[in-house]
Structures are given as C-alpha cells and as structure tokens.
Amino acid sequence: MAEEQRGARRDDAKAGGTSRRGALKAVVAGAGAVASLGVAASAAHADGRGSGAPTFVLVHGSGSNSFYWQPLLRELGLRGHRAIAVDLPGHGLGAYVPESYQSPQDLERLRTEPSPISEVTLGDFADHVIGVVRQARRNGPVVLVGGSLGGVTLNAVANRVPELLAHLVYASAFCPTKHPSVLRLMTTPEAATSYMTRLPAVHTPPELGISRVNWRSGDPAFLAVVKEAIAADRSDAEVRALMNILEPDESAAVGASEDARGLPATWGRVPRTFVRYTQDRTIPPALQDLMIREADEAAPDNRFRVRSLGAPHAGPRDVGLLAHELELVARLCR
C-alpha cells in the first residue's frame, strides 16, 4: 500500500464569561459523549485500515459549517459512498450569532459584542471529530477530509488517534508542520499574495478572543474582495449565496496562537493526500506547495500524494471533480 501511494504521489489531475465558558464546555462534552458511543469498535478494525468501503468524514473551515459540504455529500451519496459532514463546536446549529449581526445591524456594537466561541479550542474541535471518527470506524476505514482552516483539526485528530484513520485529505487546507500555526504560515513570503489579509474584518478588541467578519455587509467593495478571495469564478449572486451560509465568528486562538503542527510520530504515520486548488487566492498555490514540502520533510517516509484541481478557495464549481479525487483515495484504502 505504501509503495502504491508513493508511486501515485505527484500524479496531478489538471482539471478545470466564566459561566458562559462552563456552559459551552458542557455542550462540547455532551456532543463528544454522544459521538463517542461507538468507542467499542472491534479490535479487528482498530488500526483504521480494515477492509471495506471507507466513510468520508468532512471537516469545514473558519466561519463555516457542515452545510458547506452539502453539494459534495450529495455527489458522494449518488456515487454510493458513505460520508458525513461535522459541525465543529460553536458552529452550525450550535453557533452563536451576535444580536448586533441581525438586521438592522448595529455596527458599533458588532465591534464589541462578546461571543462564547472565544472559549473554544483546537482541542475541543479534535475531541468532537474523534468522537465522530470512532463511530464511523465501526463501519470500516475512515478518510478524514478538511478544507481551509479544517486542516488544523485534521492535524490535531491524527496526532491523537492515527490508528483510527486510513487517510487524510487536505483540500487546499492548512497543514502546519514546521510553522506552528496558521498565523505563522501567513507571515511567510509564499503567503504574500493571499487575499486573506485583504478581507475587511470587524475590528474587535483582542481581549474578545474572536475573529469576526460581517458577511451580511451590503458594501459592493466588500463583495468584490470576498469574490476575489474565495470564489472568483462565480457570479455575484452565487457569491452572495455562499456568504449567507457563513458564520460571523471564529475562535481567534485556533488559527493564531495554538500549536497546530502535525507530529511525525503520529500524524506522520497516516497516508495523506493534498488536493491543490490552483486558482486559490486565499491559500495561494505557493503557500500550499510550502506546506506540502515541509510536511514531506517532517515525515519523509510517508510523503504527500498530490493532486491538482483548477479551483478557487471555495472549491471546484463542478463538485464531481473533488468527488472523483476522493474516490481515488477510497481505492487506496481497500
């Protein structure tokens, strides 16, 4: 299996407050407990690479949720695959939407309104996804897929339970190994052209511990920057629809201060694929390639299998292209 993956490595597919903290921790713990009901998986499948078709577990990025993956979930389902998209703690139906974000918006209050997501950590993300992976593992191999900031959750999960994972797929996602965090990666020369720093964020006080974006802004200049950053190949109407599934708040610590490096002794054992998005203006191809090189240096005996798709940060317009790449990964896991 390792030889087959190494042989396929560069086969590019060139295609187009305290009480609030306590309450939140209880929610996170409860979600993890529910998701961990499958902890008693049979020993025969404990290495994460058993026989049978894999289950794809999809992890969203910053300010996003499971709905982002719905087109891919539909495509995979129609192709006969098992797949589940998670809502990370503080996201999806568990998200906190500031009152000042509602219409009519109070833009001054939006700068200072606290959010409980400030208390959520990368460890919370990992706990939740590990619970889901344990359940899915009862059915066979698990392929963990992440997009954008979701890549740091892949690292955290693989650092802790590599034996439960058959493959990691980074879909133009952050994969720190040499640099400890996303913030540090964004200071490299390879990130100089990123539109991430051009995205007009809400200037919240640092002590709030959140990154906040007003996706409901009606400013045409804001729409133009968002379009260039994440979906330059879409129409304005499509970009507005995409913006309306995004969430305003993200924990600042997850991308800025927490160590998100994949560890060679654990994460480095799991076979992995990087799907490069060649039109990505948020994580530019040069930065994607830097992360691939540094990951290969960290785990030279288990190098990235690399594929390329002509897609912006939001992913390919034809979701079948990404589904095809996941099908190729599935064949490696049988």
Side-chain angles (χ1 to χ4, degrees):
M1 179 67 70
E3 289 300 320
E4 180 183 357
Q5 290 167 339
R6 280 195 288 268
R9 179 173 174 265
R10 299 289 177 182
D11 179 17
D12 281 352
K14 308 283 188 182
T18 303
S19 60
R20 187 170 67 240
R21 177 185 177 91
L24 182 60
K25 290 291 184 180
V27 171
V28 171
V34 171
S36 297
L37 292 176
V39 69
S42 68
H45 296 298
D47 67 352
R49 296 173 178 82
S51 61
T55 299
F56 297 102
V57 177
L58 312 178
V59 182
H60 62 78
S62 176
S64 190
N65 49 62
S66 61
F67 191 75
Y68 165 78
W69 294 112
Q70 289 308 306
L72 181 60
L73 287 173
R74 181 172 59 248
E75 182 68 20
L76 289 172
L78 290 173
R79 295 181 182 214
H81 299 284
R82 286 191 302 267
I84 179 173
V86 301
D87 281 313
L88 294 172
H91 293 271
L93 294 178
Y96 175 81
V97 179
E99 290 182 11
S100 54
Y101 186 66
Q102 306 290 5
S103 181
Q105 290 191 316
D106 184 339
L107 298 182
E108 184 57 34
R109 184 182 172 196
L110 190 62
R111 290 184 58 255
T112 58
E113 185 173 343
S115 171
I117 203 169
S118 65
E119 306 291 345
V120 177
T121 67
L122 182 56
D124 294 327
F125 285 0
D127 286 345
H128 181 70
V129 175
I130 288 171
V132 174
V133 167
R134 289 192 188 280
Q135 277 193 297
R137 187 63 195 86
R138 294 179 300 174
N139 301 314
V142 172
V143 175
L144 194 57
V145 182
S148 193
L149 187 65
V152 302
T153 299
L154 267 61
N155 281 15
V157 171
N159 281 343
R160 290 171 51 183
V161 290
E163 70 281 0
L164 297 181
L165 302 171
H167 209 100
L168 300 170
V169 178
Y170 295 78
S172 196
F174 285 103
C175 181
T177 50
K178 180 179 178 180
H179 297 81
S181 67
V182 170
L183 179 61
R184 292 288 293 275
L185 280 166
M186 292 303 298
T187 65
T188 63
E190 289 81 0
T193 63
S194 173
Y195 270 73
M196 184 182 298
T197 57
R198 306 184 200 184
L199 198 66
V202 178
H203 295 294
T204 57
E207 57 268 23
L208 285 189
I210 58 174
S211 300
R212 178 170 285 166
V213 178
N214 184 8
W215 299 110
R216 292 179 179 167
S217 171
D219 184 353
F222 177 79
L223 174 65
V225 173
V226 172
K227 182 174 179 176
E228 288 298 312
I230 62 177
D233 64 340
R234 267 69 154 186
S235 68
D236 287 358
E238 289 173 308
V239 175
R240 284 193 295 268
L242 177 60
M243 290 164 59
N244 274 281
I245 70 167
L246 298 176
E247 300 167 2
D249 294 350
E250 185 58 79
S251 170
V254 171
S257 60
E258 294 197 67
D259 193 326
R261 285 176 287 192
L263 304 177
T266 47
W267 161 89
R269 291 160 39 192
V270 185
R272 59 187 183 271
T273 290
F274 199 105
V275 182
R276 298 171 69 252
Y277 288 171
T278 63
Q279 299 169 13
D280 195 333
R281 297 174 183 172
T282 294
I283 308 179
L287 181 55
Q288 297 175 54
D289 292 340
L290 174 67
M291 292 187 290
I292 292 167
R293 289 196 305 271
E294 292 182 344
D296 287 351
E297 291 168 3
D301 294 329
N302 181 28
R303 298 162 72 84
F304 260 119
R305 170 182 175 272
V306 179
R307 310 284 290 182
S308 294
L309 294 176
H313 192 65
R317 176 186 287 275
D318 179 2
V319 74
L321 296 173
L322 183 54
H324 173 69
E325 294 303 327
L326 295 183
E327 286 187 315
L328 295 179
V329 169
R331 294 174 191 172
L332 298 174
C333 298
R334 296 183 185 229

